[in-house]
Amino acid sequence: MCFVDTKRASEPVHEFVARTLPAVVLCEIASSADVATGTAIRRLADTETEYPFTLIYALSRASADLIRHIYVDGVSSMVFTNDDNRDIRAAIASVAAGHHHISPAVFRSLPDLHIRSFYSLLNGPSPAASRLSEGNLSVREELVLKLIAYGFSTKEIAAEMRLSTKTVDTYRARGTDKLSLSSRASIVKYGASKGWFDIYQQQN
Protein backbone atom coordinates (compact mmCIF):
# COMPACT_ATOMS: atom_id res chain seq x y z
CA MET A 1 0.00 0.00 0.00
CA CYS A 2 1.17 3.55 -0.62
CA PHE A 3 -0.26 6.96 0.15
CA VAL A 4 -0.45 9.51 -2.65
CA ASP A 5 -0.79 13.18 -1.78
CA THR A 6 -2.45 14.76 -4.81
CA LYS A 7 -0.31 17.85 -4.32
CA ARG A 8 2.90 15.95 -5.14
CA ALA A 9 4.64 17.38 -8.22
CA SER A 10 8.13 15.90 -8.03
CA GLU A 11 7.30 12.74 -9.96
CA PRO A 12 4.51 11.79 -12.41
CA VAL A 13 2.01 9.42 -10.83
CA HIS A 14 2.55 6.67 -13.40
CA GLU A 15 6.31 6.73 -12.72
CA PHE A 16 5.68 6.70 -8.98
CA VAL A 17 3.43 3.64 -9.34
CA ALA A 18 5.95 1.85 -11.57
CA ARG A 19 8.70 2.53 -9.02
CA THR A 20 6.80 1.61 -5.84
CA LEU A 21 4.51 -1.16 -7.23
CA PRO A 22 1.70 -0.71 -4.69
CA ALA A 23 -1.27 -3.09 -4.53
CA VAL A 24 -3.46 -0.31 -3.13
CA VAL A 25 -3.10 3.45 -3.54
CA LEU A 26 -4.72 5.63 -0.89
CA CYS A 27 -5.30 8.96 -2.64
CA GLU A 28 -5.91 12.07 -0.57
CA ILE A 29 -8.70 14.36 -1.77
CA ALA A 30 -8.67 17.46 0.40
CA SER A 31 -10.44 19.93 -1.90
CA SER A 32 -12.15 20.23 -5.27
CA ALA A 33 -8.77 21.15 -6.78
CA ASP A 34 -7.53 17.63 -5.99
CA VAL A 35 -10.30 15.88 -7.93
CA ALA A 36 -8.62 16.25 -11.34
CA THR A 37 -5.44 14.61 -10.07
CA GLY A 38 -7.50 11.93 -8.38
CA THR A 39 -9.34 11.28 -11.65
CA ALA A 40 -6.01 10.82 -13.44
CA ILE A 41 -4.95 8.28 -10.81
CA ARG A 42 -8.31 6.51 -11.14
CA ARG A 43 -7.89 6.26 -14.92
CA LEU A 44 -4.38 4.92 -14.43
CA ALA A 45 -5.75 2.31 -12.01
CA ASP A 46 -8.39 1.31 -14.57
CA THR A 47 -5.93 0.90 -17.43
CA GLU A 48 -2.65 -0.20 -15.84
CA THR A 49 -1.91 -3.80 -16.81
CA GLU A 50 1.81 -4.09 -16.17
CA TYR A 51 1.63 -2.71 -12.62
CA PRO A 52 -2.04 -3.13 -11.58
CA PHE A 53 -3.28 -1.50 -8.41
CA THR A 54 -6.58 -0.57 -6.78
CA LEU A 55 -7.60 2.82 -5.49
CA ILE A 56 -9.14 4.26 -2.32
CA TYR A 57 -9.95 7.94 -1.97
CA ALA A 58 -9.25 9.40 1.47
CA LEU A 59 -11.31 12.54 1.99
CA SER A 60 -11.40 15.16 4.68
CA ARG A 61 -14.83 15.61 6.22
CA ALA A 62 -14.79 19.16 4.89
CA SER A 63 -14.78 17.64 1.39
CA ALA A 64 -17.84 15.44 1.96
CA ASP A 65 -19.79 17.41 -0.64
CA LEU A 66 -17.49 15.89 -3.28
CA ILE A 67 -18.45 12.30 -2.52
CA ARG A 68 -21.35 12.06 -4.93
CA HIS A 69 -19.29 13.48 -7.81
CA ILE A 70 -16.37 11.19 -6.99
CA TYR A 71 -18.56 8.09 -6.88
CA VAL A 72 -20.25 8.90 -10.19
CA ASP A 73 -16.79 9.46 -11.68
CA GLY A 74 -15.96 5.83 -11.00
CA VAL A 75 -14.37 5.60 -7.54
CA SER A 76 -16.35 3.24 -5.36
CA SER A 77 -13.99 2.89 -2.38
CA MET A 78 -13.72 5.81 0.03
CA VAL A 79 -12.74 6.57 3.62
CA PHE A 80 -12.40 9.71 5.68
CA THR A 81 -8.85 10.67 6.62
CA ASN A 82 -9.89 10.78 10.29
CA ASP A 83 -11.67 7.41 10.29
CA ASP A 84 -10.48 5.01 12.96
CA ASN A 85 -7.17 3.39 11.97
CA ARG A 86 -8.77 -0.04 12.22
CA ASP A 87 -11.46 1.02 9.74
CA ILE A 88 -8.85 2.32 7.31
CA ARG A 89 -6.82 -0.90 7.60
CA ALA A 90 -9.99 -2.89 7.00
CA ALA A 91 -10.70 -0.79 3.91
CA ILE A 92 -7.22 -1.41 2.54
CA ALA A 93 -7.48 -5.15 3.17
CA SER A 94 -10.93 -5.31 1.57
CA VAL A 95 -9.90 -3.37 -1.54
CA ALA A 96 -6.67 -5.36 -1.87
CA ALA A 97 -8.81 -8.51 -1.91
CA GLY A 98 -10.80 -7.14 -4.85
CA HIS A 99 -13.84 -5.75 -3.03
CA HIS A 100 -15.40 -2.29 -2.85
CA HIS A 101 -15.32 -0.48 0.47
CA ILE A 102 -17.27 2.59 1.53
CA SER A 103 -16.60 3.71 5.07
CA PRO A 104 -19.88 3.83 7.05
CA ALA A 105 -18.88 7.35 8.10
CA VAL A 106 -18.55 8.36 4.44
CA PHE A 107 -21.84 6.72 3.53
CA ARG A 108 -23.69 8.55 6.29
CA SER A 109 -22.11 11.92 5.60
CA LEU A 110 -24.56 13.13 2.94
CA PRO A 111 -28.26 13.70 3.63
CA ASP A 112 -29.24 12.04 0.33
CA LEU A 113 -27.21 8.95 1.13
CA HIS A 114 -28.27 7.86 4.59
CA ILE A 115 -30.12 4.60 5.20
CA ARG A 116 -33.56 6.02 4.52
CA SER A 117 -32.60 7.28 1.06
CA PHE A 118 -30.83 4.00 0.31
CA TYR A 119 -33.97 2.11 1.30
CA SER A 120 -36.09 4.30 -0.96
CA LEU A 121 -33.76 4.02 -3.94
CA LEU A 122 -33.59 0.26 -3.70
CA ASN A 123 -37.23 -0.47 -3.16
CA GLY A 124 -39.39 2.49 -4.13
CA PRO A 125 -41.69 4.31 -1.70
CA SER A 126 -43.83 1.32 -0.80
CA PRO A 127 -42.06 -1.99 -1.45
CA ALA A 128 -44.28 -5.03 -1.57
CA ALA A 129 -43.04 -7.52 0.97
CA SER A 130 -44.12 -10.43 -1.18
CA ARG A 131 -41.99 -9.45 -4.20
CA LEU A 132 -39.14 -11.88 -4.81
CA SER A 133 -35.74 -10.73 -5.97
CA GLU A 134 -32.47 -12.32 -7.02
CA GLY A 135 -31.82 -15.68 -5.44
CA ASN A 136 -35.48 -15.81 -4.35
CA LEU A 137 -34.77 -13.26 -1.63
CA SER A 138 -37.72 -11.36 -0.27
CA VAL A 139 -37.50 -7.57 -0.48
CA ARG A 140 -36.62 -7.30 3.21
CA GLU A 141 -34.04 -10.08 3.09
CA GLU A 142 -32.37 -8.39 0.14
CA LEU A 143 -32.47 -4.97 1.79
CA VAL A 144 -30.99 -6.27 5.05
CA LEU A 145 -28.13 -7.95 3.18
CA LYS A 146 -27.46 -4.81 1.14
CA LEU A 147 -27.32 -2.63 4.24
CA ILE A 148 -25.02 -5.15 5.92
CA ALA A 149 -22.78 -5.02 2.84
CA TYR A 150 -22.63 -1.23 3.22
CA GLY A 151 -21.45 -1.59 6.79
CA PHE A 152 -24.56 -0.80 8.83
CA SER A 153 -25.06 -2.60 12.11
CA THR A 154 -28.04 -4.77 13.02
CA LYS A 155 -29.18 -2.09 15.48
CA GLU A 156 -29.07 0.66 12.82
CA ILE A 157 -30.94 -1.45 10.30
CA ALA A 158 -33.56 -2.38 12.88
CA ALA A 159 -34.11 1.28 13.80
CA GLU A 160 -34.49 2.36 10.18
CA MET A 161 -36.79 -0.50 9.14
CA ARG A 162 -38.69 -0.28 12.44
CA LEU A 163 -38.08 -3.91 13.25
CA SER A 164 -36.56 -5.69 16.22
CA THR A 165 -32.91 -6.68 16.01
CA LYS A 166 -34.07 -10.29 16.28
CA THR A 167 -36.20 -9.87 13.16
CA VAL A 168 -33.29 -8.29 11.29
CA ASP A 169 -31.11 -11.23 12.32
CA THR A 170 -33.80 -13.56 11.02
CA TYR A 171 -33.85 -11.81 7.62
CA ARG A 172 -30.08 -11.96 7.51
CA ALA A 173 -30.04 -15.67 8.36
CA ARG A 174 -32.70 -16.49 5.76
CA GLY A 175 -30.98 -14.44 3.07
CA THR A 176 -27.51 -15.82 3.67
CA ASP A 177 -28.92 -19.34 3.78
CA LYS A 178 -30.65 -18.88 0.41
CA LEU A 179 -27.45 -17.54 -1.15
CA SER A 180 -25.06 -19.88 0.73
CA LEU A 181 -23.17 -16.95 2.25
CA SER A 182 -21.42 -17.37 5.58
CA SER A 183 -19.96 -13.98 6.57
CA ARG A 184 -20.19 -10.24 5.99
CA ALA A 185 -17.17 -10.51 3.68
CA SER A 186 -19.02 -13.03 1.53
CA ILE A 187 -22.09 -10.76 1.48
CA VAL A 188 -19.92 -7.86 0.29
CA LYS A 189 -18.30 -10.01 -2.40
CA TYR A 190 -21.69 -11.25 -3.60
CA GLY A 191 -23.08 -7.72 -3.57
CA ALA A 192 -20.17 -6.38 -5.62
CA SER A 193 -20.80 -9.07 -8.25
CA LYS A 194 -24.47 -8.06 -8.39
CA GLY A 195 -23.92 -4.30 -8.67
CA TRP A 196 -25.17 -3.43 -5.20
CA PHE A 197 -22.55 -0.71 -4.93
CA ASP A 198 -23.72 1.06 -8.10
CA ILE A 199 -26.45 2.98 -6.28
CA TYR A 200 -25.60 6.31 -7.91
CA GLN A 201 -25.83 4.80 -11.37
CA GLN A 202 -29.29 3.46 -10.46
CA GLN A 203 -30.51 7.04 -10.09
CA ASN A 204 -29.53 8.06 -13.65
Side-chain angles (χ1 to χ4, degrees):
M1 189 279 293
C2 72
F3 178 80
V4 174
D5 183 336
T6 53
K7 298 177 183 63
R8 59 180 290 112
S10 60
E11 182 179 19
V13 172
H14 68 278
E15 292 180 9
F16 178 74
V17 168
R19 178 173 60 81
T20 58
L21 300 179
V24 176
V25 170
L26 193 65
C27 179
E28 180 189 24
I29 302 293
S31 70
S32 58
D34 296 329
V35 173
T37 303
T39 298
I41 297 173
R42 191 265 297 169
R43 289 175 178 164
L44 181 62
D46 288 344
T47 59
E48 182 59 69
T49 56
E50 188 175 4
Y51 310 113
F53 65 93
T54 52
L55 179 66
I56 302 174
Y57 271 8
L59 298 98
S60 67
R61 288 184 181 270
S63 301
D65 60 325
L66 298 173
I67 293 173
R68 180 184 176 87
H69 171 76
I70 289 169
Y71 196 98
V72 171
D73 193 46
V75 176
S76 52
S77 295
M78 288 176 275
V79 297
F80 278 134
T81 52
N82 64 346
D83 277 348
D84 186 276
N85 286 338
R86 290 173 297 181
D87 292 337
I88 293 177
R89 287 196 297 269
I92 293 168
S94 179
V95 170
H99 309 309
H100 299 284
H101 186 95
I102 300 175
S103 159
V106 169
F107 190 82
R108 295 189 192 100
S109 66
L110 295 179
D112 65 334
L113 257 190
H114 53 48
I115 302 177
R116 189 171 292 106
S117 294
F118 188 45
Y119 180 94
S120 177
L121 285 168
L122 290 172
N123 297 286
S126 300
S130 61
R131 179 179 69 84
L132 295 183
S133 182
E134 53 193 339
N136 289 328
L137 296 178
S138 71
V139 168
R140 287 187 172 181
E141 289 165 355
E142 180 181 354
L143 178 59
V144 166
L145 293 187
K146 285 178 176 178
L147 292 174
I148 289 169
Y150 267 86
F152 292 104
S153 69
T154 297
K155 185 176 179 180
E156 290 169 328
I157 297 169
E160 182 58 36
M161 296 180 69
R162 296 175 182 168
L163 301 170
S164 69
T165 55
K166 183 176 179 180
T167 300
V168 170
D169 285 336
T170 297
Y171 285 133
R172 173 178 178 157
R174 289 178 182 171
T176 53
D177 184 59
K178 288 178 180 179
L179 299 175
S180 299
L181 304 175
S182 58
S183 64
R184 180 179 178 272
S186 65
I187 295 171
V188 171
K189 184 175 181 179
Y190 176 85
S193 73
K194 295 296 184 179
W196 289 2
F197 296 89
D198 299 332
I199 185 167
Y200 281 118
Q201 283 74 9
Q202 292 176 22
Q203 299 179 73
N204 296 336

